[in-house]
Amino acid sequence: MVMAILAMILAGLCFYLWHHKEPPEKIEVATPEQVRNPYYLENHFQIPETQAKETVKIIERAQTGKTQPAADFKVIAQTPQEAVTQVKSRIEKKDETLPKAALEKTDKTIVTEQPENKEHDVGVYKINLRKDHKIKVGTVLADDKLYYSLGYQNRRMEYQLFMDGKNIKGGAVTYTVAEW
């Protein structure tokens, strides 16, 4: 019974990975006011509330020049709005003259003016969203016996069951104390 469930989960996971196509990266333009509003980021970009608040703090530091960008490049344009449009277009076309940091594949990319930052008129913000739920399968060798494991992880907590093919032989709960 347990083996049948594991086989179905594994088959479903394989089917999903085989047929899943990564959606194209969405590159959006936002105003400086919008990117400083966590509710706008949360609702418009579907960013979780805690990540939206963290993102706003990072963007505020960049817009005021308190932090240096990962990459720097020049754009010739008549207005900051025109520069934003040019940068967005170049990222969409994967212009290889741009720094790698600007072309990096992420969940969300926001291009905006930075009116308070005199050195960098345009900001490109790359956002990777946390994937909070994970299902895990594997094997464990203990006391010279092979067990199958089935796990579920939600953020930092992970729950695992260990089975011999017929019966549950044990379990574990772990907490992630450090991430990088």
Side-chain angles (χ1 to χ4, degrees):
M1 173 71 169
V2 173
M3 287 303 293
I5 293 171
L6 273 176
M8 288 186 332
I9 290 171
L10 192 56
L13 182 63
C14 289
F15 180 80
Y16 172 79
L17 293 174
W18 183 267
H19 293 288
H20 178 70
K21 295 207 176 10
E22 194 71 26
E25 181 178 8
K26 192 170 187 181
I27 301 163
E28 301 244 4
V29 172
T31 67
E33 295 78 24
Q34 289 170 328
V35 295
R36 285 187 171 191
N37 181 340
Y39 303 108
Y40 177 81
L41 294 179
E42 183 180 351
N43 295 316
H44 186 77
F45 294 104
Q46 288 79 44
I47 296 174
E49 180 183 358
T50 54
Q51 272 189 287
K53 289 178 180 177
E54 291 172 25
T55 301
V56 165
K57 288 178 187 174
I58 292 167
I59 290 173
E60 284 176 346
R61 289 179 52 98
Q63 285 186 334
T64 57
K66 292 179 182 169
T67 186
Q68 293 300 312
D72 193 340
F73 59 93
K74 298 286 183 201
V75 176
I76 299 171
Q78 298 293 323
T79 65
Q81 296 90 358
E82 185 182 317
V84 166
T85 303
Q86 279 186 32
V87 170
K88 178 183 185 259
S89 176
R90 289 175 65 187
I91 293 171
E92 287 173 336
K93 293 176 183 173
K94 301 189 183 339
D95 181 344
E96 292 186 12
T97 63
L98 292 174
K100 286 182 181 181
L103 297 175
E104 177 187 11
K105 174 79 171 103
T106 57
D107 293 323
K108 310 280 182 187
T109 298
I110 302 172
V111 183
T112 187
E113 293 176 51
Q114 299 192 131
E116 295 175 36
N117 190 329
K118 302 302 176 207
E119 292 183 37
H120 306 284
D121 293 337
V122 176
V124 177
Y125 299 98
K126 301 295 215 166
I127 302 169
N128 281 313
L129 301 175
R130 264 195 318 255
K131 309 295 191 266
D132 288 337
H133 301 276
K134 299 173 186 163
I135 295 177
K136 300 178 173 193
V137 294
T139 57
V140 175
L141 181 63
D143 294 329
D144 294 325
K145 293 181 182 175
L146 185 66
Y147 298 100
Y148 303 100
S149 67
L150 176 63
Y152 168 73
Q153 183 176 344
N154 181 352
R155 297 184 188 204
R156 291 180 170 233
M157 291 296 292
E158 183 172 351
Y159 310 90
Q160 293 181 342
L161 290 176
F162 304 110
M163 300 152 283
D164 66 0
K166 296 178 184 176
N167 301 311
I168 295 175
K169 294 294 187 175
V173 175
T174 59
Y175 181 78
T176 303
V177 294
E179 296 179 286
W180 61 92

